[in-house]
Amino acid sequence: MQRIMIMLKKLNKWWTRTQSSALPAEVQNFVQTMMIEGQEYSLMVAQHTDAVDMFEIEEAAYQGMTPWPLEVFEDEVDRTNERLYLVLRAQETGSVLAYIGASFAAGKKTAHITNIAVHPQWQRRGLAKALLAYVMSLSVQHRFERVTLEVREDNVAAQKLYQQLNFKMIRQHPDYYEDHEPALEMMVKVGGSAS
């Protein structure tokens, strides 16, 4: 928890500047060591060049299917005024193993997880849970009241992970994905007096 608080402090300058400007240079080079289940990883803000790795992780995690084309990943990473994408790298090789993206609606006091994926070879090692907890902590620090996300109705493993972090299902979105699979919208209250 102490490491998360240190990381949050380092991102604090970024947060206030993103309300009106692009990602500052000191955050573009931000690298933090993150200990997850006894192993060290490097956490950093995603750069435009990381979009290819993020796309490939998504493709591997979803057996060749991705909801977003590469261009969308590139656009999302470049939208630094209202988005934050983080990549988790292996310390030895520098390879991207997992990522998370979130949008922040200050007026609504809501952070929304836009995407999260872990390479299949690195799943079930606590990476997704650590990334989610990090974004939730960042949301609390900046006085957001809730974190939301959508998950495929048939993705029971992801739903269980979200439930471990106290996410609750708030509604179903029928025919949400390209293959017509419904999505479950989930939310967790993280601070303030969210309704």
Short mmCIF file of all heavy atoms in Angstrom, two decimals, residues 108-153:
data_model
loop_
_atom_site.label_atom_id
_atom_site.label_comp_id
_atom_site.label_asym_id
_atom_site.label_seq_id
_atom_site.Cartn_x
_atom_site.Cartn_y
_atom_site.Cartn_z
N LYS A 108 -18.70 14.36 -13.36
CA LYS A 108 -19.51 13.26 -12.84
C LYS A 108 -18.85 12.56 -11.66
O LYS A 108 -19.42 11.64 -11.08
CB LYS A 108 -19.77 12.23 -13.94
CG LYS A 108 -20.60 12.74 -15.09
CD LYS A 108 -20.81 11.64 -16.10
CE LYS A 108 -21.65 12.13 -17.27
NZ LYS A 108 -21.86 11.07 -18.26
N LYS A 109 -17.59 12.96 -11.35
CA LYS A 109 -16.84 12.31 -10.26
C LYS A 109 -16.69 10.81 -10.50
O LYS A 109 -16.70 10.01 -9.57
CB LYS A 109 -17.49 12.56 -8.91
CG LYS A 109 -17.62 14.02 -8.54
CD LYS A 109 -16.42 14.43 -7.77
CE LYS A 109 -16.63 15.85 -7.25
NZ LYS A 109 -15.40 16.54 -7.07
N THR A 110 -16.58 10.42 -11.79
CA THR A 110 -16.51 9.01 -12.15
C THR A 110 -15.26 8.73 -12.98
O THR A 110 -14.96 9.44 -13.94
CB THR A 110 -17.75 8.61 -12.98
OG1 THR A 110 -18.92 8.83 -12.19
CG2 THR A 110 -17.70 7.15 -13.40
N ALA A 111 -14.56 7.70 -12.58
CA ALA A 111 -13.47 7.14 -13.39
C ALA A 111 -14.03 5.90 -14.05
O ALA A 111 -14.74 5.11 -13.42
CB ALA A 111 -12.27 6.80 -12.52
N HIS A 112 -13.74 5.73 -15.33
CA HIS A 112 -14.28 4.59 -16.07
C HIS A 112 -13.12 3.79 -16.65
O HIS A 112 -12.28 4.34 -17.37
CB HIS A 112 -15.20 5.05 -17.19
CG HIS A 112 -15.77 3.92 -17.98
ND1 HIS A 112 -16.76 3.11 -17.48
CD2 HIS A 112 -15.45 3.44 -19.21
CE1 HIS A 112 -17.05 2.18 -18.39
NE2 HIS A 112 -16.26 2.36 -19.44
N ILE A 113 -13.05 2.52 -16.32
CA ILE A 113 -12.03 1.64 -16.88
C ILE A 113 -12.43 1.38 -18.32
O ILE A 113 -13.45 0.75 -18.59
CB ILE A 113 -11.92 0.31 -16.09
CG1 ILE A 113 -11.67 0.55 -14.60
CG2 ILE A 113 -10.85 -0.59 -16.72
CD1 ILE A 113 -10.39 1.27 -14.28
N THR A 114 -11.63 1.87 -19.25
CA THR A 114 -11.94 1.70 -20.66
C THR A 114 -11.46 0.36 -21.18
O THR A 114 -12.06 -0.21 -22.08
CB THR A 114 -11.29 2.81 -21.50
OG1 THR A 114 -9.87 2.80 -21.27
CG2 THR A 114 -11.86 4.17 -21.16
N ASN A 115 -10.36 -0.13 -20.60
CA ASN A 115 -9.80 -1.39 -21.08
C ASN A 115 -8.77 -1.89 -20.08
O ASN A 115 -8.08 -1.10 -19.45
CB ASN A 115 -9.13 -1.18 -22.45
CG ASN A 115 -9.25 -2.39 -23.34
OD1 ASN A 115 -9.35 -3.50 -22.86
ND2 ASN A 115 -9.22 -2.16 -24.63
N ILE A 116 -8.69 -3.20 -19.95
CA ILE A 116 -7.66 -3.84 -19.13
C ILE A 116 -7.41 -5.21 -19.74
O ILE A 116 -8.35 -5.91 -20.13
CB ILE A 116 -8.08 -3.95 -17.65
CG1 ILE A 116 -6.95 -4.59 -16.82
CG2 ILE A 116 -9.40 -4.67 -17.48
CD1 ILE A 116 -7.18 -4.52 -15.33
N ALA A 117 -6.15 -5.57 -19.84
CA ALA A 117 -5.81 -6.89 -20.37
C ALA A 117 -4.44 -7.30 -19.87
O ALA A 117 -3.56 -6.46 -19.67
CB ALA A 117 -5.85 -6.91 -21.90
N VAL A 118 -4.29 -8.60 -19.68
CA VAL A 118 -3.02 -9.21 -19.27
C VAL A 118 -2.69 -10.28 -20.29
O VAL A 118 -3.57 -11.07 -20.69
CB VAL A 118 -3.14 -9.84 -17.86
CG1 VAL A 118 -1.84 -10.53 -17.45
CG2 VAL A 118 -3.55 -8.78 -16.84
N HIS A 119 -1.43 -10.32 -20.72
CA HIS A 119 -1.02 -11.36 -21.67
C HIS A 119 -1.33 -12.72 -21.05
O HIS A 119 -1.09 -12.93 -19.86
CB HIS A 119 0.47 -11.25 -21.98
CG HIS A 119 0.87 -12.09 -23.14
ND1 HIS A 119 1.04 -13.45 -23.04
CD2 HIS A 119 1.10 -11.77 -24.43
CE1 HIS A 119 1.37 -13.94 -24.22
NE2 HIS A 119 1.41 -12.93 -25.09
N PRO A 120 -1.86 -13.68 -21.83
CA PRO A 120 -2.25 -14.98 -21.27
C PRO A 120 -1.15 -15.69 -20.48
O PRO A 120 -1.43 -16.35 -19.48
CB PRO A 120 -2.64 -15.81 -22.51
CG PRO A 120 -3.06 -14.78 -23.51
CD PRO A 120 -2.21 -13.57 -23.25
N GLN A 121 0.10 -15.54 -20.88
CA GLN A 121 1.19 -16.19 -20.15
C GLN A 121 1.43 -15.57 -18.77
O GLN A 121 2.13 -16.16 -17.94
CB GLN A 121 2.49 -16.13 -20.96
CG GLN A 121 2.44 -16.95 -22.23
CD GLN A 121 3.69 -16.79 -23.07
OE1 GLN A 121 4.44 -15.83 -22.92
NE2 GLN A 121 3.91 -17.74 -23.97
N TRP A 122 0.87 -14.40 -18.54
CA TRP A 122 1.07 -13.70 -17.27
C TRP A 122 -0.21 -13.58 -16.45
O TRP A 122 -0.23 -12.89 -15.43
CB TRP A 122 1.69 -12.33 -17.54
CG TRP A 122 3.10 -12.47 -18.00
CD1 TRP A 122 3.54 -12.66 -19.28
CD2 TRP A 122 4.26 -12.48 -17.18
NE1 TRP A 122 4.90 -12.78 -19.31
CE2 TRP A 122 5.38 -12.67 -18.03
CE3 TRP A 122 4.48 -12.33 -15.81
CZ2 TRP A 122 6.68 -12.73 -17.55
CZ3 TRP A 122 5.77 -12.37 -15.33
CH2 TRP A 122 6.85 -12.57 -16.20
N GLN A 123 -1.27 -14.23 -16.89
CA GLN A 123 -2.53 -14.18 -16.15
C GLN A 123 -2.44 -15.01 -14.88
O GLN A 123 -1.57 -15.86 -14.73
CB GLN A 123 -3.68 -14.66 -17.04
CG GLN A 123 -3.98 -13.68 -18.16
CD GLN A 123 -5.06 -14.15 -19.12
OE1 GLN A 123 -5.59 -15.24 -19.00
NE2 GLN A 123 -5.39 -13.30 -20.09
N ARG A 124 -3.34 -14.75 -13.95
CA ARG A 124 -3.43 -15.41 -12.66
C ARG A 124 -2.18 -15.21 -11.80
O ARG A 124 -1.78 -16.08 -11.04
CB ARG A 124 -3.75 -16.91 -12.83
CG ARG A 124 -5.19 -17.13 -13.29
CD ARG A 124 -5.50 -18.56 -13.60
NE ARG A 124 -5.08 -18.99 -14.92
CZ ARG A 124 -5.59 -18.58 -16.08
NH1 ARG A 124 -6.53 -17.67 -16.08
NH2 ARG A 124 -5.16 -19.05 -17.22
N ARG A 125 -1.58 -14.02 -11.94
CA ARG A 125 -0.44 -13.64 -11.09
C ARG A 125 -0.72 -12.34 -10.34
O ARG A 125 0.19 -11.73 -9.80
CB ARG A 125 0.82 -13.47 -11.94
CG ARG A 125 1.23 -14.75 -12.64
CD ARG A 125 2.52 -14.55 -13.38
NE ARG A 125 2.75 -15.64 -14.31
CZ ARG A 125 3.94 -15.97 -14.77
NH1 ARG A 125 5.00 -15.30 -14.40
NH2 ARG A 125 4.07 -16.96 -15.62
N GLY A 126 -1.97 -11.90 -10.36
CA GLY A 126 -2.35 -10.71 -9.62
C GLY A 126 -2.13 -9.39 -10.35
O GLY A 126 -2.32 -8.32 -9.77
N LEU A 127 -1.74 -9.44 -11.63
CA LEU A 127 -1.43 -8.21 -12.36
C LEU A 127 -2.68 -7.36 -12.58
O LEU A 127 -2.65 -6.14 -12.34
CB LEU A 127 -0.76 -8.52 -13.69
CG LEU A 127 0.51 -9.38 -13.66
CD1 LEU A 127 1.16 -9.44 -15.03
CD2 LEU A 127 1.50 -8.90 -12.62
N ALA A 128 -3.76 -7.96 -13.04
CA ALA A 128 -4.99 -7.19 -13.30
C ALA A 128 -5.53 -6.59 -12.01
O ALA A 128 -5.93 -5.42 -11.97
CB ALA A 128 -6.03 -8.07 -13.97
N LYS A 129 -5.51 -7.38 -10.95
CA LYS A 129 -6.02 -6.89 -9.67
C LYS A 129 -5.19 -5.70 -9.18
O LYS A 129 -5.73 -4.70 -8.70
CB LYS A 129 -6.00 -8.02 -8.64
CG LYS A 129 -6.68 -7.69 -7.34
CD LYS A 129 -6.75 -8.92 -6.45
CE LYS A 129 -7.57 -8.65 -5.21
NZ LYS A 129 -7.69 -9.87 -4.38
N ALA A 130 -3.86 -5.79 -9.32
CA ALA A 130 -2.98 -4.69 -8.89
C ALA A 130 -3.23 -3.43 -9.71
O ALA A 130 -3.26 -2.33 -9.17
CB ALA A 130 -1.52 -5.13 -8.98
N LEU A 131 -3.40 -3.59 -11.02
CA LEU A 131 -3.66 -2.42 -11.88
C LEU A 131 -5.00 -1.77 -11.54
O LEU A 131 -5.10 -0.54 -11.46
CB LEU A 131 -3.61 -2.81 -13.35
CG LEU A 131 -2.23 -3.14 -13.91
CD1 LEU A 131 -2.34 -3.70 -15.33
CD2 LEU A 131 -1.32 -1.93 -13.88
N LEU A 132 -6.01 -2.58 -11.32
CA LEU A 132 -7.32 -2.04 -10.93
C LEU A 132 -7.23 -1.32 -9.59
O LEU A 132 -7.78 -0.21 -9.43
CB LEU A 132 -8.36 -3.16 -10.86
CG LEU A 132 -8.90 -3.65 -12.19
CD1 LEU A 132 -9.56 -5.01 -12.03
CD2 LEU A 132 -9.87 -2.64 -12.77
N ALA A 133 -6.56 -1.93 -8.63
CA ALA A 133 -6.42 -1.30 -7.31
C ALA A 133 -5.67 0.02 -7.42
O ALA A 133 -6.00 0.99 -6.73
CB ALA A 133 -5.70 -2.25 -6.35
N TYR A 134 -4.70 0.08 -8.30
CA TYR A 134 -3.94 1.31 -8.50
C TYR A 134 -4.84 2.42 -9.04
O TYR A 134 -4.83 3.54 -8.52
CB TYR A 134 -2.78 1.05 -9.45
CG TYR A 134 -1.87 2.24 -9.59
CD1 TYR A 134 -0.84 2.46 -8.70
CD2 TYR A 134 -2.06 3.16 -10.61
CE1 TYR A 134 -0.01 3.57 -8.81
CE2 TYR A 134 -1.24 4.27 -10.74
CZ TYR A 134 -0.22 4.47 -9.83
OH TYR A 134 0.58 5.57 -9.95
N VAL A 135 -5.63 2.13 -10.06
CA VAL A 135 -6.53 3.14 -10.63
C VAL A 135 -7.59 3.54 -9.60
O VAL A 135 -7.95 4.72 -9.48
CB VAL A 135 -7.16 2.66 -11.95
CG1 VAL A 135 -8.28 3.59 -12.41
CG2 VAL A 135 -6.09 2.55 -13.03
N MET A 136 -8.07 2.59 -8.81
CA MET A 136 -9.04 2.92 -7.77
C MET A 136 -8.42 3.86 -6.74
O MET A 136 -9.05 4.83 -6.31
CB MET A 136 -9.56 1.64 -7.12
CG MET A 136 -10.46 0.82 -8.04
SD MET A 136 -10.77 -0.86 -7.45
CE MET A 136 -11.69 -0.53 -5.95
N SER A 137 -7.17 3.58 -6.34
CA SER A 137 -6.49 4.45 -5.38
C SER A 137 -6.26 5.84 -5.94
O SER A 137 -6.42 6.84 -5.25
CB SER A 137 -5.14 3.83 -4.97
OG SER A 137 -5.35 2.63 -4.28
N LEU A 138 -5.88 5.91 -7.20
CA LEU A 138 -5.68 7.19 -7.87
C LEU A 138 -7.00 7.98 -7.89
O LEU A 138 -7.02 9.18 -7.64
CB LEU A 138 -5.17 6.97 -9.29
CG LEU A 138 -4.82 8.20 -10.11
CD1 LEU A 138 -3.65 8.95 -9.49
CD2 LEU A 138 -4.48 7.80 -11.53
N SER A 139 -8.09 7.28 -8.14
CA SER A 139 -9.41 7.91 -8.16
C SER A 139 -9.77 8.49 -6.79
O SER A 139 -10.28 9.61 -6.69
CB SER A 139 -10.48 6.90 -8.59
OG SER A 139 -10.20 6.42 -9.88
N VAL A 140 -9.49 7.74 -5.73
CA VAL A 140 -9.76 8.22 -4.38
C VAL A 140 -8.94 9.46 -4.09
O VAL A 140 -9.46 10.46 -3.57
CB VAL A 140 -9.45 7.12 -3.34
CG1 VAL A 140 -9.47 7.69 -1.92
CG2 VAL A 140 -10.43 5.97 -3.45
N GLN A 141 -7.66 9.41 -4.43
CA GLN A 141 -6.77 10.54 -4.14
C GLN A 141 -7.27 11.82 -4.79
O GLN A 141 -7.12 12.91 -4.24
CB GLN A 141 -5.35 10.24 -4.60
CG GLN A 141 -4.39 11.37 -4.30
CD GLN A 141 -2.99 11.12 -4.81
OE1 GLN A 141 -2.75 10.18 -5.55
NE2 GLN A 141 -2.07 11.98 -4.43
N HIS A 142 -7.88 11.70 -5.96
CA HIS A 142 -8.33 12.88 -6.68
C HIS A 142 -9.83 13.12 -6.55
O HIS A 142 -10.44 13.77 -7.38
CB HIS A 142 -7.87 12.80 -8.13
CG HIS A 142 -6.38 12.86 -8.21
ND1 HIS A 142 -5.68 14.03 -8.05
CD2 HIS A 142 -5.45 11.89 -8.37
CE1 HIS A 142 -4.38 13.78 -8.12
NE2 HIS A 142 -4.22 12.50 -8.31
N ARG A 143 -10.39 12.56 -5.48
CA ARG A 143 -11.77 12.82 -5.07
C ARG A 143 -12.83 12.37 -6.06
O ARG A 143 -13.90 12.97 -6.15
CB ARG A 143 -11.93 14.30 -4.71
CG ARG A 143 -11.09 14.71 -3.52
CD ARG A 143 -11.37 16.14 -3.09
NE ARG A 143 -10.59 16.47 -1.92
CZ ARG A 143 -9.42 17.11 -1.96
NH1 ARG A 143 -8.90 17.47 -3.10
NH2 ARG A 143 -8.78 17.37 -0.84
N PHE A 144 -12.53 11.34 -6.82
CA PHE A 144 -13.58 10.71 -7.61
C PHE A 144 -14.37 9.81 -6.69
O PHE A 144 -13.85 9.30 -5.70
CB PHE A 144 -12.99 9.95 -8.80
CG PHE A 144 -12.60 10.86 -9.93
CD1 PHE A 144 -11.45 11.62 -9.85
CD2 PHE A 144 -13.41 10.99 -11.04
CE1 PHE A 144 -11.10 12.49 -10.87
CE2 PHE A 144 -13.07 11.86 -12.06
CZ PHE A 144 -11.91 12.61 -11.98
N GLU A 145 -15.64 9.62 -6.98
CA GLU A 145 -16.51 8.89 -6.08
C GLU A 145 -16.79 7.46 -6.49
O GLU A 145 -17.16 6.64 -5.66
CB GLU A 145 -17.84 9.64 -5.94
CG GLU A 145 -17.66 11.01 -5.31
CD GLU A 145 -18.94 11.82 -5.24
OE1 GLU A 145 -19.93 11.44 -5.91
OE2 GLU A 145 -18.93 12.84 -4.54
N ARG A 146 -16.61 7.17 -7.76
CA ARG A 146 -16.92 5.82 -8.22
C ARG A 146 -16.04 5.45 -9.40
O ARG A 146 -15.52 6.32 -10.10
CB ARG A 146 -18.40 5.70 -8.60
CG ARG A 146 -18.82 6.57 -9.77
CD ARG A 146 -20.34 6.67 -9.94
NE ARG A 146 -20.99 7.46 -8.94
CZ ARG A 146 -21.00 8.79 -8.91
NH1 ARG A 146 -20.40 9.50 -9.83
NH2 ARG A 146 -21.63 9.44 -7.96
N VAL A 147 -15.88 4.15 -9.60
CA VAL A 147 -15.18 3.61 -10.76
C VAL A 147 -16.14 2.65 -11.43
O VAL A 147 -16.78 1.83 -10.76
CB VAL A 147 -13.87 2.87 -10.35
CG1 VAL A 147 -13.19 2.27 -11.57
CG2 VAL A 147 -12.92 3.82 -9.62
N THR A 148 -16.27 2.77 -12.74
CA THR A 148 -17.17 1.90 -13.49
C THR A 148 -16.40 1.15 -14.57
O THR A 148 -15.29 1.53 -14.94
CB THR A 148 -18.31 2.71 -14.16
OG1 THR A 148 -17.73 3.64 -15.08
CG2 THR A 148 -19.15 3.45 -13.13
N LEU A 149 -17.03 0.11 -15.09
CA LEU A 149 -16.47 -0.64 -16.22
C LEU A 149 -17.58 -1.49 -16.82
O LEU A 149 -18.65 -1.66 -16.22
CB LEU A 149 -15.29 -1.52 -15.78
CG LEU A 149 -15.49 -2.51 -14.62
CD1 LEU A 149 -16.21 -3.78 -15.06
CD2 LEU A 149 -14.15 -2.88 -14.02
N GLU A 150 -17.32 -1.99 -18.02
CA GLU A 150 -18.20 -2.98 -18.64
C GLU A 150 -17.41 -4.27 -18.81
O GLU A 150 -16.21 -4.23 -19.07
CB GLU A 150 -18.71 -2.54 -20.01
CG GLU A 150 -19.78 -1.48 -19.98
CD GLU A 150 -19.22 -0.06 -20.01
OE1 GLU A 150 -18.10 0.12 -20.52
OE2 GLU A 150 -19.90 0.85 -19.51
N VAL A 151 -18.11 -5.38 -18.66
CA VAL A 151 -17.50 -6.69 -18.82
C VAL A 151 -18.47 -7.58 -19.59
O VAL A 151 -19.69 -7.47 -19.44
CB VAL A 151 -17.14 -7.31 -17.44
CG1 VAL A 151 -18.37 -7.47 -16.56
CG2 VAL A 151 -16.40 -8.63 -17.61
N ARG A 152 -17.91 -8.44 -20.42
CA ARG A 152 -18.76 -9.37 -21.16
C ARG A 152 -19.53 -10.24 -20.17
O ARG A 152 -18.99 -10.69 -19.17
CB ARG A 152 -17.91 -10.27 -22.07
CG ARG A 152 -17.29 -9.56 -23.26
CD ARG A 152 -16.42 -10.51 -24.06
NE ARG A 152 -17.22 -11.59 -24.64
CZ ARG A 152 -17.76 -11.54 -25.86
NH1 ARG A 152 -17.56 -10.47 -26.64
NH2 ARG A 152 -18.48 -12.53 -26.31
N GLU A 153 -20.79 -10.49 -20.49
CA GLU A 153 -21.62 -11.30 -19.62
C GLU A 153 -21.06 -12.72 -19.49
O GLU A 153 -21.20 -13.36 -18.44
CB GLU A 153 -23.06 -11.34 -20.15
CG GLU A 153 -24.03 -11.97 -19.18
CD GLU A 153 -25.47 -11.84 -19.66
OE1 GLU A 153 -25.78 -12.39 -20.74
OE2 GLU A 153 -26.26 -11.19 -18.95
#
